[in-house]
Structure formats: structure tokens, C-alpha cells
Amino acid sequence: AQTVTQSQPEMSVQEAETVTLSCTYDTSESDYYLFWYKQPPSRQMILVIRQEAYKQQNATENRFSVNFQKAAKSFSLKISDSQLGDAAMYFCAYIGANSKLTFGKGITLSVRP
Amino acid sequence: GAVVSQHPSWVICKSGTSVKIECRSLDFQATTMFWYRQFPKQSLMLMATSNEGSKATYEQGVEKDKFLINHASLTLSTLTVTSAHPEDSSFYICSASRPDYNEQFFGPGTRLTVL
């Protein structure tokens, strides 16, 4: 079975600074997708970024980028120029052949003005 | 886009009553829909997977007689919490997947409070 581990329950970042959220996963599959989701206080799940395992190039979406290390099974999210609106809970997630999302425990990110 | 709606967004009911939550894919046909439960400050827990026209597949530990799931069409899935009790109070989220996307699209969630 696949597992996703987010070991840091909380992080804090100063506005305009950069923060990195860690995620590791375990799988025996070779073809899969990884995601970072944001859940603000409204609790709507918002897709931040996705990475296909077969792509070596790290995905980027504006201020958000990932460091995907397939051999190490690591998938960290970097948020640049942090904004107050980035404060939320962030979940790392995995989809493999069974099409089910496996989520990490999540990390609460706070942004200090 | 790929928009998923849920109704109601918030429901309060008395213990012993049943509550139905609807999940709709508004602009695409969802081959598979998923139901999650989330407690405050915790992760999403998958309850069941439903495919149109077939019985839902429940995760281990989820009571299928308590949480009835019906996927009547390619755009609608319903979750009925039967004989609800205070311990069923939670946030319920649905998601839908498209065959051409390895991704799930999430509804806004339903907050259930059982008194």
C-alpha cells in the first residue's frame, strides 16, 4: 500500500519570504501522480500543483514549485514570496493505478505580516 | 473547468434522523466519485468509491448500512447518513474524476452537525 508522510504539523513564514513544505511517500509503482492541495479556512480543497512521476522536470505554477526526487521518494513544495492568502492547511497526495488519492496528514502554514 | 457542487453546505439534524448529501459534477461526466470524511485539523479519510450504475466500494471500517451511497447518473452521487448520531458529526467532502484526467475535482464540502 502507498503511504504519504508529512512529518511537520505546523510551519510559519514571514510575508514575502520563501518556505518549503516537506513530503515523502512510499510506493512500489512506477507510474503515479503527486499533488499538493491547499485547504483554506473555507475548507474547499484547491489544487496547487501536480507532478507526473514520469516527468523529470519539476512542476511550477507561478510562486509555487516542487522539488521532486523520485529515487528518494520526496516531493517538497516551495512557496516563494509568501502572501497572507497562502495561510492554510496543505496536503501532499498520491494517485496510483487504483485511482484513489492517498493524503498525508497535512501541515498548517501560517504567514506572519 | 471541472466544477463539483455539493448540497447542502451545512445541515443540522436531530439524532436518529437521516440526512442526504448530493454531489454533482456540473460541467463534465464523472465516471467515478469519491466520498471523504474530515475531522477538524485532520486529513481527509476516504469512505467509499462509487461508479455510475454500480454498487459503491467502501473502505475498511466504514459501515455501508450507515453511509448509503448511490451513483444514479454520471453527474450525481448521493451520500445518505442513516439514523445519524452525534458521532457522525463531521465535514463530508465529495470528489469526482474524469477518465482523461489523473486528478480528482473536489466539491466544497458539507458540514453535518447531529444534535
Side-chain angles (χ1 to χ4, degrees), chain B residues 34-111:
Chain B
F34 303 84
W35 288 95
Y36 298 86
R37 185 174 182 177
Q38 186 184 32
F39 292 105
K41 298 292 187 180
Q42 294 188 22
S43 189
L44 281 70
M45 181 191 78
L46 179 64
M47 299 174 66
T49 304
S50 74
N51 293 289
E52 186 262 340
S54 61
K55 289 185 178 180
T57 303
Y58 291 81
E59 295 298 302
Q60 193 172 7
V62 177
E63 300 175 61
K64 60 181 180 181
D65 295 330
K66 157 71 79 174
F67 300 100
L68 299 179
I69 292 171
N70 182 275
H71 195 155
S73 75
L74 284 172
T75 59
L76 173 64
S77 176
T78 59
L79 167 68
T80 301
V81 183
T82 62
S83 186
H85 291 285
E87 58 266 28
D88 299 323
S89 298
S90 190
F91 193 68
Y92 293 89
I93 305 174
C94 75
S95 70
S97 64
R98 290 168 46 171
D100 52 339
Y101 278 76
N102 282 294
E103 184 178 333
Q104 292 181 20
F105 302 95
F106 286 87
T110 297
R111 180 175 296 178

Side-chain angles (χ1 to χ4, degrees), chain A residues 24-77:
Chain A
T24 59
Y25 61 96
D26 191 24
T27 183
S28 57
E29 296 178 314
S30 58
D31 189 18
Y32 51 88
Y33 294 77
L34 296 165
F35 305 87
W36 277 98
Y37 285 94
K38 172 184 178 180
Q39 190 179 42
S42 69
R43 304 187 79 171
Q44 169 74 60
M45 295 290 283
I46 301 168
L47 177 65
V48 174
I49 201 164
R50 58 180 274 163
Q51 173 80 43
E52 292 89 342
Y54 63 86
K55 288 187 177 179
Q56 291 187 331
Q57 188 173 5
N58 289 326
T60 62
E61 286 289 341
N62 301 313
R63 297 184 295 109
F64 300 88
S65 61
V66 298
N67 183 0
F68 174 47
Q69 300 291 325
K70 190 172 183 178
K73 296 191 172 89
S74 171
F75 183 62
S76 60
L77 174 70

Side-chain angles (χ1 to χ4, degrees), chain A residues 73-104:
Chain A
K73 296 191 172 89
S74 171
F75 183 62
S76 60
L77 174 70
K78 185 171 81 171
I79 306 174
S80 304
D81 186 25
S82 296
Q83 300 175 0
L84 294 177
D86 294 334
M89 200 158 184
Y90 286 82
F91 294 98
C92 179
Y94 169 106
I95 273 189
N98 67 4
S99 299
K100 293 182 182 179
L101 267 172
T102 300
F103 287 94

